[in-house]
Amino acid sequence: IYLFIEDTIIMDHTQYTTLHYRADESGIPFCITVDFDSLTDDSVTVRERDSMVQTRMKIIDVLPYLSKQIDGF
């Protein structure tokens, strides 16, 4: 598992999309977005590279979700 951390404050949708494209080009299969809401609801957004589907989930559910997506169980 590779960890790609972008320490930039996202100001608008264009910059956010640019970060996704950079991750896609790097071959990163999943992006995990931590935003200001994450601080209060303990949730993040997981984006799948191939389908571009974004799913909001609790932080505690991220590892089991990724394990299922990568390993199939």
Side-chain angles (χ1 to χ4, degrees), residues 10-27:
I10 306 304
M11 295 302 204
D12 63 28
H13 179 71
T14 305
Q15 290 173 330
Y16 187 69
T17 302
T18 300
L19 291 177
H20 280 170
Y21 286 134
R22 281 181 29 198
D24 291 349
E25 290 175 355
S26 298

Side-chain angles (χ1 to χ4, degrees), residues 17-56:
T17 302
T18 300
L19 291 177
H20 280 170
Y21 286 134
R22 281 181 29 198
D24 291 349
E25 290 175 355
S26 298
I28 299 171
F30 299 94
C31 288
I32 301 172
T33 302
V34 177
D35 56 23
F36 289 109
D37 291 334
S38 300
L39 302 175
T40 57
D41 67 5
D42 294 326
S43 295
V44 294
T45 302
V46 179
R47 178 180 177 271
E48 296 179 48
R49 177 194 62 210
D50 297 338
S51 68
M52 295 187 192
V53 170
Q54 297 184 45
T55 307
R56 186 88 176 160

